[in-house]
Amino acid sequence: MSTLLEIKSSVLRQVQVCPSFRRRTEEEPGGTGADPQEPATGAWKPGDGVEFFTQMRLVLKKGEGRRSLPCPEVLLRSSSPAPNEPVDPNRGLRALTPEEVEMLYEEALYTVLYRAGTMGPNQVDDQEALLSYLQQVFDTSPKEHAEAIEHVKKAKAPTYALKVSVIRAKNLMAKDPNGFSDPYCMLGILPASGAPREPGPHKEQRFSFRKGAKHGSPPPAKCIQVTEIKSSTLNPVWKEHFLFEIEDVSTDQLHLDIWDHDDDVSLVEACRKLNEVISLKGMSRYFKQIVKSARANGRAGPTEDHNDDFLGCLNIPIWEVPVAGEDRWFKLEPRSSASCVQGDCQLVLKLITTQRDTVMSQRGRSGFLSYLLLLSRLFQFEHRAEEPDSSSWRGDLSGPAATLLCLHGAQSNLSALQLAVLHWQVSSRHHQTCTLDYGYLLGLLEDMQAHWEEAASLPQEQEESLADSFSAFSEYTLRLLRQLRDYFPATNSTAIHRLELLLKCLDKLQLFQPSFEICPFETELNMDIAAALKRGNRGWYDRLLNAKSPREQPGLQRLPGLVELVDVIYEDLQSCYSIYASLFQSIVKIDFFTLTYRQLERLVAEEVWVLTEELRPRMTLGVASQLFELYLSLADIQRFWNNILGRDSHSLALTGIHVQFLPAVKLWLQVLRDQTKWRLQGAVDVDTLEPMDSSSKHSSSAATASLCFSHIQELWACLAWPDPAQAQGLGSQLSQDLCEAALFYTRLLRRKVDTQPRASGQAFCVALNNVELLRRAVGQALQGLAWPQGASGFAGELPRPLLSYTQTLDEDLQREAHTVTAHLTSKMVGDIRKYVQHISLSPDSIQNDEAVDPLMKYLDEKLALLNTLLVKGNLNRVLEALWELLLQAILQALGTNLDVSADFYNRFHFTLEALVTFFHADGQGLPLENLKDESYRKLEEELRLHRCSTRECIEQYYLDKLKQRSLEQNRYGRLSVRCYYEAAEQRLVVEVLHAADLLPLDANGLSDPFVIVELGPPHHFPLVHSQRTQVKSRTLHPVYDELFHFSVPAEACRRRGACVLFRVMDHDWLSTNDFAGEAALSLGSISGIVRPQVGGSTKAGQPITLHLRRPRAQVRSALRMLEGRTSREAQEFVKRLKELEKFMEADP
């Protein structure tokens, strides 16, 4: 690790001393300026722009599927058969010698020829069929087969015994006064009376065939056995086991009585005298005595001795016991018709042999071993005959084979647990030589586990053989797990299902580990599994490395193969996470994904560190391109880990690997900048400035440019540079290059349009649409170029430099769009002026709509065409330009037609309202707030004033003064006045108090101010003359305190526009006075004119501070209207104001 840190430090030092890459402004290739410089190595040529972006698209497409965690459904693409697992004939059971085969053959024939019991419905009852089947299994000739049969027939017949388990009884009769009984059982073997009974129906019986009984071998009694007494119950549970020797299977029968125990002399005491009974005949007579006693029990008087009460009996012929044994409920029977019994008794019966005249038995070979050998022989025969190459065989045996095993297992007195163990041992060994279905093996383990919990432990020898089978099976499966990807590929659903079953088998093996006295595993099995997986990961990686990027090759030759290796590892990690991880975690509790990721990630990191160190001194564009692709794949691997919640990436070996790739990334971004311009140049060169298809309104070059910028945005997202400071440098550089490329494209596009000899309106529309599409695409791309800002940045906020680039570029593209729009609308200026002139020259005799109709038709035709050619945003932009042209044309028409009739202005007012309705288009066109802009309001005011009378214009002049507000309240100073109206005297009192902060208009930095007070409009006050204050020399804060009276009626003060106007002038002795500022006060709001407030007085008005200002444009508009009037009143008013016009400069 220290070596890796030293490598990181050396690379960081190299980066710090490298000069930063700064953007330089370049002229477009092929233009009047210098062409972009080609890369020195010639790795990418200008004509390769298409090839470069095609290659970049392939890289991006590779990363598209890596943005999110994969779904298992995507990976499991195949349901074909799973790959064949390796088999080894030597891993099966030991091959038998010819002598052992002969002994096993004899044992099987002996089992068939001396079978006892009743065959089940699913078993083969034909002895000849069973013997013929054995001949096929052991591959003997007819002669050898016949001789073997004769030899076995001459052998001594086996000794039979009956295993009886008395489990429980239910619903017995109550014999005691307390409503219960104290039941117990007495059972033994009764020989048939008279001649031996032929096999056949004796009594209606109900049979149920169940395999197995609980293992136990209590010492057998000579004649009769008795269970324990269960007190006060009608549903006793005994679970006691007995063994009886059978002399004649065909005639003997099992007899069982259930009695209610009494405290007096009972049958239990009588059973103690059984040692006095000699032979089975004596026992038969004793049973008869017991029966007589039971019959007398019901007729005895109160003074006679009482025996136990009879509760029921059973008589079961031995020959009716199924070969496989049975576990069933038997209905209790009465002794005679006079007996009254009820209830059932559950018995487990099994007919076994205790002595067998075979060589294997004579040599001490147990039934356990002989069954194992026979089962193995049958497995080899059945599987070879059925499906020799199939891994789906589930151990399904034919009828003869199943019957043979059932006979031998029963005769050998094998318990259900022993049978389960034997089937597992043979099947697991056979699986290693000829693959079986893991579901079948799992079922065997589950069956063995169920019997293991119920039965006692196995003998040590059998437990050791079971432990050996576990060890062999685990060793075999661990070998498979070491080659997990070969035998259980993640894309094969069948193989993954087999893996799931295999892991469940291993999990079952771990459950047996605490039950073994001799542990089959040296360590925990899951630790062995984890070690096998690690070893398999390393072997798989080494093979992959040797195939893709052998270490013997030079670094330049290894680089492409290393890229492929990293891609393969990423796909493998996807499989590990989506497919394998859940199986290993849920079944054997192993975090397979973390184990694999950390191991492979560390191996890849070590390989990359070494290779990048080797290639760093030989950095070329070709090397940089391949290193860039390698870094993207490594970033995907690291991002895959980060996408999983709760994963800490700081401990990964790939942390800090980006430092090694920084020089290559910077160099590659320079190539990207040049290739982008070359690609845009080629796209514009072949562009015909026609829509690509009927559904789009832009041309091919815009689509290409948009796609290029989209690829760059995707590229930055894939890059995801982790260091914030370095990311800011890379992101800033890429953002500048992107903005530069966008402007470069617009210049190329405009040049192409301008160089066309007769560029049509459609070409301009397509160019405008291209600019709009580019503006949106670049804006979206720049939004996607955000880089991490560290702790100081806010989530979701663009970095300040990127925000500045975005805003500046948007303004540039908006200007470019307005330029193209101006080119487009300039072709319509002449027609618009012509139709506006038509309206102005139309005689008063025609209607307004007739005069406006030609203009409307022209606009409707043009805009209908533009609507089909332009996108919505551009159509609005053209509408706004046309709207401005129309307003200017109407204003120009009004300026050239002075002193015309009111109908002239009414017609243009009608035209203006019609145009508003047309351009608004019921909300589908321009918004009303955009239409009624400053130009519209100016034109509307112009029309309104032209329609007013002279006196209304004069009144408007004074109203404009009252509405005027000073932009800067203290710029021209303040004037304090007091005004009120004396109704008794019918005069207006104006008191000029003082002024402050006046403008210095003299050379000494002061002024000589005085105030002119006048009332307006003149036609409201025809007999009133203006008055003035005294001149206050050399001051900017004059104090006047002068009072002026104006004899005017109150009604005149309430008229429209009535006001008092204060003009502050600077007195000059040798030249004309200078204008300092003015203020107006409405007479309608002063005390005495409006209704006085309660308790108020007309002389109690407070001083009013007025802010001085200078006339604005809206004041001059009314004056300009009056200048065009020829009436005497208008001319006199204008003449009087002309004297002050030279002082009324616009507000700077």
Side-chain angles (χ1 to χ4, degrees):
M1 188 63 187
S2 60
T3 304
L4 296 181
L5 292 176
E6 291 174 1
I7 294 174
K8 292 183 182 180
S9 302
S10 64
V11 175
L12 284 173
R13 288 193 297 271
Q14 180 186 8
V15 173
Q16 291 171 357
V17 300
C18 286
S20 61
F21 294 95
R22 299 189 58 83
R23 181 177 63 89
R24 62 184 186 275
T25 305
E26 300 175 338
E27 295 295 329
E28 55 271 15
T32 57
D35 292 340
Q37 295 182 2
E38 295 184 3
T41 59
W44 297 101
K45 298 299 181 182
D48 294 336
V50 176
E51 180 185 353
F52 177 85
F53 275 93
T54 301
Q55 182 66 26
M56 189 173 79
R57 180 58 194 153
L58 293 177
V59 175
L60 294 176
K61 188 175 182 181
K62 181 173 63 177
E64 284 180 358
R66 302 177 178 180
R67 302 297 172 81
S68 59
L69 297 176
C71 299
E73 294 78 7
V74 177
L75 297 177
L76 293 172
R77 298 184 294 269
S78 172
S79 58
S80 58
N84 293 328
E85 296 179 7
V87 293
D88 184 1
N90 297 324
R91 295 190 64 86
L93 293 175
R94 178 182 61 84
L96 299 180
T97 64
E99 182 183 3
E100 290 174 327
V101 173
E102 185 177 350
M103 288 191 300
L104 183 61
Y105 187 28
E106 178 196 23
E107 183 75 18
L109 292 174
Y110 192 87
T111 300
V112 174
L113 293 174
Y114 293 101
R115 61 178 179 163
T118 303
M119 290 293 186
N122 296 325
Q123 294 174 331
V124 177
D125 196 15
D126 187 353
Q127 181 174 291
E128 292 299 326
L130 295 176
L131 295 175
S132 176
Y133 175 75
L134 285 175
Q135 180 185 358
Q136 299 176 31
V137 171
F138 287 90
D139 193 21
T140 60
S141 65
K143 181 180 179 181
E144 294 172 338
H145 181 62
E147 291 175 354
I149 291 176
E150 288 300 321
H151 171 72
V152 172
K153 285 182 178 181
K154 293 177 182 180
K156 183 181 177 180
T159 299
Y160 296 99
L162 181 66
K163 290 180 65 176
V164 182
S165 296
V166 182
I167 307 301
R168 59 176 60 84
K170 62 181 179 181
N171 301 327
L172 300 179
M173 291 193 68
K175 294 293 186 178
D176 295 340
N178 60 2
F180 294 99
S181 295
D182 303 318
Y184 65 91
C185 297
M186 183 184 67
L187 62 160
I189 302 299
L190 289 180
S193 59
R197 182 185 311 166
E198 295 294 331
H202 168 65
K203 183 178 181 181
E204 184 180 355
Q205 299 286 344
R206 296 179 181 177
F207 296 97
S208 63
F209 299 94
R210 298 183 182 178
K211 284 187 177 182
K214 197 166 184 179
H215 177 68
S217 301
K222 292 182 180 180
C223 298
I224 298 178
Q225 298 289 341
V226 182
T227 66
E228 293 182 355
I229 299 171
K230 300 298 180 181
S231 301
S232 302
T233 179
L234 301 179
N235 300 286
V237 177
W238 290 288
K239 293 187 178 180
E240 297 185 32
H241 312 285
F242 308 97
L243 183 65
F244 299 99
E245 289 188 2
I246 305 299
E247 290 188 357
D248 190 345
V249 175
S250 61
T251 59
D252 290 350
Q253 65 177 351
L254 172 67
H255 181 83
L256 179 143
D257 287 340
I258 301 181
W259 300 87
D260 172 38
H261 173 68
D262 288 334
D263 292 335
D264 295 332
V265 180
S266 66
L267 291 178
V268 177
E269 296 296 331
C271 289
R272 294 175 182 172
K273 301 179 180 179
L274 284 178
N275 55 356
E276 302 175 3
V277 179
I278 302 174
S279 78
L280 290 175
K281 293 183 178 180
M283 190 186 70
S284 178
R285 289 194 297 270
Y286 190 76
F287 262 110
K288 291 179 180 179
Q289 294 175 5
I290 293 173
V291 171
K292 291 179 180 179
S293 175
R295 290 175 179 173
N297 187 30
R299 300 190 296 269
T303 59
E304 297 179 11
D305 292 337
H306 285 271
N307 294 325
D308 293 348
D309 295 327
F310 177 73
L311 296 177
C313 68
L314 293 174
N315 289 287
I316 304 172
I318 301 303
W319 67 268
E320 292 184 356
V321 176
V323 169
E326 67 174 339
D327 179 356
R328 59 171 286 198
W329 286 90
F330 294 88
K331 188 173 183 59
L332 295 178
E333 302 172 355
R335 290 289 188 181
S336 65
S337 59
S339 300
C340 182
V341 299
Q342 69 178 33
D344 303 273
C345 183
Q346 183 186 8
L347 300 179
V348 178
L349 306 176
K350 188 176 183 181
L351 195 59
I352 65 173
T353 59
T354 57
Q355 295 180 8
R356 298 170 66 84
D357 188 16
T358 62
V359 177
M360 295 191 76
S361 297
Q362 293 170 2
R363 294 186 180 183
R365 303 289 180 88
S366 64
F368 184 90
L369 178 59
S370 59
Y371 188 96
L372 183 142
L373 298 176
L374 179 60
L375 178 60
S376 177
R377 186 80 178 191
L378 294 179
F379 254 62
Q380 294 173 10
F381 176 78
E382 291 277 331
H383 196 188
R384 184 173 63 249
E386 285 287 328
E387 301 170 82
D389 298 325
S390 174
S391 61
S392 62
W393 193 62
R394 299 182 56 84
D396 298 324
L397 298 175
S398 62
T403 304
L404 280 170
L405 293 173
C406 180
L407 289 171
H408 193 276
Q411 294 177 16
S412 301
N413 192 23
L414 297 177
S415 66
L417 174 59
Q418 289 175 313
L419 291 173
V421 167
L422 286 166
H423 277 267
W424 160 256
Q425 288 185 5
V426 173
S427 299
S428 62
R429 288 286 189 175
H430 183 74
H431 171 69
Q432 299 170 49
T433 62
C434 191
T435 309
L436 300 178
D437 190 309
Y438 282 104
Y440 164 68
L441 296 176
L442 178 62
L444 293 179
L445 287 171
E446 291 173 345
D447 186 45
M448 186 165 55
Q449 180 187 2
H451 291 299
W452 194 283
E453 295 172 354
E454 297 175 0
S457 60
L458 293 171
Q460 181 176 351
E461 180 183 358
Q462 297 178 13
E463 185 174 308
E464 288 178 357
S465 66
L466 178 59
D468 290 341
S469 71
F470 282 174
S471 298
F473 181 77
S474 62
E475 179 185 347
Y476 172 77
T477 53
L478 290 177
R479 185 156 58 95
L480 294 180
L481 292 179
R482 285 196 290 270
Q483 295 178 276
L484 176 72
R485 298 161 181 84
D486 298 329
Y487 298 123
F488 307 101
T491 56
N492 190 306
S493 58
T494 306
I496 294 303
H497 180 63
R498 285 180 61 82
L499 174 63
E500 179 182 4
L501 296 175
L502 181 149
L503 294 177
K504 288 182 178 179
C505 289
L506 291 176
D507 182 54
K508 286 294 180 185
L509 292 188
Q510 293 188 94
L511 298 178
F512 285 96
Q513 187 167 344
S515 305
F516 278 95
E517 296 182 3
I518 303 175
C519 182
F521 310 116
E522 296 181 0
T523 59
E524 293 290 339
L525 187 55
N526 57 353
M527 295 177 62
D528 293 337
I529 296 173
L533 293 173
K534 288 182 179 180
R535 182 177 173 185
N537 289 338
R538 183 55 191 257
W540 175 79
Y541 175 82
D542 290 340
R543 293 192 302 272
L544 186 64
L545 182 64
N546 291 332
K548 299 289 185 182
S549 182
R551 291 192 176 98
E552 300 80 23
Q553 294 181 349
L556 291 176
Q557 297 181 18
R558 293 189 60 200
L559 186 54
L562 192 58
V563 174
E564 295 181 15
L565 180 139
V566 174
D567 290 338
V568 173
I569 287 178
Y570 183 89
E571 294 176 0
D572 182 73
L573 291 176
Q574 281 186 316
S575 302
C576 291
Y577 179 80
S578 301
I579 305 298
Y580 297 127
S582 60
L583 294 180
F584 282 92
Q585 182 64 45
S586 62
I587 299 175
V588 292
K589 306 300 183 291
I590 293 177
D591 190 354
F592 178 63
F593 175 74
T594 301
L595 180 149
T596 303
Y597 184 94
R598 287 193 174 277
Q599 185 178 11
L600 295 181
E601 180 259 352
R602 178 179 54 81
L603 293 172
V604 169
E606 293 173 356
E607 206 69 36
V608 171
W609 278 101
V610 173
L611 186 61
T612 51
E613 278 294 310
E614 179 183 349
L615 294 177
R616 185 170 56 180
R618 293 176 285 177
M619 187 65 63
T620 63
L621 291 181
V623 173
S625 298
Q626 293 182 346
L627 284 177
F628 185 82
E629 184 178 356
L630 175 60
Y631 175 75
L632 291 182
S633 297
L634 292 174
D636 288 336
I637 290 180
Q638 195 167 3
R639 192 180 302 113
F640 188 31
W641 178 266
N642 296 335
N643 286 341
I644 303 173
L645 297 179
R647 302 284 183 173
D648 182 15
S649 62
H650 295 292
S651 60
L652 296 180
L654 286 175
T655 303
I657 197 72
H658 62 279
V659 177
Q660 292 288 87
F661 292 88
L662 184 60
V665 170
K666 287 184 175 181
L667 187 57
W668 193 88
L669 290 181
Q670 294 182 58
V671 178
L672 175 63
R673 177 195 61 197
D674 297 337
Q675 290 292 329
T676 301
K677 289 187 176 182
W678 290 330
R679 182 71 185 98
L680 296 178
Q681 175 76 66
V684 174
D685 289 343
V686 299
D687 196 354
T688 59
L689 293 181
E690 295 179 355
M692 295 179 60
D693 50 51
S694 58
S695 61
S696 60
K697 298 182 180 181
H698 55 267
S699 63
S700 59
S701 64
T704 300
S706 177
L707 191 60
C708 288
F709 296 143
S710 175
H711 288 347
I712 294 174
Q713 177 191 354
E714 293 180 35
L715 185 71
W716 178 256
C718 292
L719 190 63
W721 201 258
D723 185 87
Q726 296 173 357
Q728 180 177 356
L730 296 175
S732 298
Q733 178 66 49
L734 190 58
S735 302
Q736 294 179 29
D737 294 342
L738 195 66
C739 296
E740 198 174 283
L743 295 177
F744 175 74
Y745 170 78
T746 58
R747 291 195 297 269
L748 291 176
L749 186 66
R750 182 151 42 89
R751 178 180 298 177
K752 187 176 185 69
V753 176
D754 293 341
T755 54
Q756 287 188 354
R758 294 181 180 178
S760 62
Q762 179 179 356
F764 281 102
C765 290
V766 170
L768 189 58
N769 291 335
N770 288 356
V771 173
E772 178 64 17
L773 180 64
L774 179 76
R775 186 182 69 84
R776 293 171 182 259
V778 175
Q780 183 177 358
L782 288 174
Q783 293 284 335
L785 291 184
W787 51 81
Q789 303 181 67
S792 60
F794 295 97
E797 181 180 352
L798 287 179
R800 191 169 298 176
L802 182 59
L803 184 62
S804 176
Y805 298 150
T806 303
Q807 294 173 347
T808 302
L809 179 63
D810 188 73
E811 292 173 359
D812 291 341
L813 294 180
Q814 291 280 13
R815 281 194 294 270
E816 187 67 28
H818 285 298
T819 301
V820 179
T821 302
H823 279 287
L824 181 62
T825 55
S826 63
K827 299 179 179 297
M828 305 170 61
V829 173
D831 294 334
I832 289 175
R833 289 177 178 174
K834 180 182 68 174
Y835 288 110
V836 170
Q837 186 179 12
H838 170 76
I839 296 173
S840 64
L841 297 178
S842 298
D844 297 339
S845 58
I846 66 173
Q847 298 294 325
N848 290 337
D849 54 354
E850 293 181 12
V852 177
D853 188 60
L855 174 62
M856 292 301 181
K857 287 183 178 180
Y858 170 77
L859 293 175
D860 185 66
E861 178 184 348
K862 288 294 183 181
L863 293 181
L865 178 61
L866 292 175
N867 186 43
T868 60
L869 297 176
L870 295 173
V871 296
K872 178 67 175 176
N874 286 334
L875 180 62
N876 289 342
R877 189 176 284 115
V878 171
L879 288 176
E880 291 174 354
L882 286 177
W883 178 249
E884 191 65 27
L885 284 177
L886 285 166
L887 295 182
Q888 295 299 328
I890 294 175
L891 274 175
Q892 185 179 4
L894 295 180
T896 56
N897 293 273
L898 299 177
D899 199 21
V900 292
S901 65
D903 291 338
F904 176 86
Y905 299 107
N906 288 332
R907 176 166 296 167
F908 272 106
H909 185 269
F910 175 85
T911 303
L912 183 61
E913 295 302 320
L915 289 174
V916 169
T917 303
F918 178 81
F919 277 83
H920 182 57
D922 296 329
Q924 301 300 315
L926 296 177
L928 288 177
E929 56 268 21
N930 290 5
L931 291 171
K932 297 184 178 182
D933 56 1
E934 183 65 26
S935 299
Y936 169 84
R937 290 191 294 271
K938 178 180 178 181
L939 176 58
E940 187 182 38
E941 179 68 12
E942 195 89 2
L943 290 173
R944 187 182 66 81
L945 292 176
H946 276 298
R947 291 155 54 198
C948 293
S949 63
T950 299
R951 290 192 172 185
E952 288 175 339
C953 284
I954 295 174
E955 292 171 3
Q956 185 63 43
Y957 170 80
Y958 285 96
L959 287 173
D960 290 342
K961 284 186 175 293
L962 290 173
K963 294 177 183 178
Q964 185 179 354
R965 294 290 183 267
S966 176
L967 293 179
E968 300 180 19
Q969 294 183 352
N970 298 325
R971 182 172 183 180
Y972 302 109
R974 304 180 302 277
L975 179 67
S976 295
V977 299
R978 183 184 290 117
C979 295
Y980 53 90
Y981 186 77
E982 295 179 346
E985 303 295 335
Q986 288 193 352
R987 66 180 182 181
L988 176 69
V989 180
V990 179
E991 185 177 358
V992 180
L993 301 176
H994 55 82
D997 300 328
L998 299 179
L999 288 176
L1001 298 177
D1002 293 342
N1004 59 5
L1006 299 173
S1007 293
D1008 303 317
F1010 65 95
V1011 180
I1012 301 174
V1013 183
E1014 65 177 25
L1015 303 182
H1019 57 271
H1020 291 339
F1021 309 100
L1023 302 178
V1024 177
H1025 300 283
S1026 62
Q1027 301 184 53
R1028 55 183 292 180
T1029 65
Q1030 296 179 0
V1031 176
K1032 301 296 182 180
S1033 302
R1034 295 188 297 277
T1035 181
L1036 300 180
H1037 309 280
V1039 178
Y1040 299 103
D1041 289 332
E1042 298 185 33
L1043 194 64
F1044 302 98
H1045 295 89
F1046 297 91
S1047 298
V1048 293
E1051 184 62 30
C1053 295
R1054 297 189 180 97
R1055 292 174 183 170
R1056 180 174 180 265
C1059 64
V1060 55
L1061 186 64
F1062 301 93
R1063 286 195 183 93
V1064 180
M1065 307 293 292
D1066 174 44
H1067 178 70
D1068 286 333
W1069 298 99
L1070 301 177
S1071 62
T1072 58
N1073 298 328
D1074 297 326
F1075 179 77
E1078 68 177 8
L1081 179 64
S1082 174
L1083 294 178
S1085 61
I1086 65 176
S1087 177
I1089 299 299
V1090 298
R1091 181 179 299 175
Q1093 297 182 359
V1094 178
S1097 172
T1098 57
K1099 295 185 179 181
Q1102 295 296 325
I1104 300 173
T1105 299
L1106 301 175
H1107 293 277
L1108 300 178
R1109 69 261 184 185
R1110 294 193 173 190
R1112 302 288 302 277
Q1114 65 265 30
V1115 178
R1116 296 197 190 101
S1117 62
L1119 184 61
R1120 190 167 53 254
M1121 294 299 104
L1122 293 171
E1123 290 176 350
R1125 303 289 176 92
T1126 57
S1127 63
R1128 180 180 177 181
E1129 185 178 13
Q1131 291 298 319
E1132 288 180 354
F1133 182 80
V1134 170
K1135 180 180 178 180
R1136 190 166 62 88
L1137 293 179
K1138 282 289 186 179
E1139 299 174 0
L1140 295 174
E1141 186 178 9
K1142 58 184 176 181
F1143 308 117
M1144 297 183 183
E1145 298 175 355
D1147 196 359

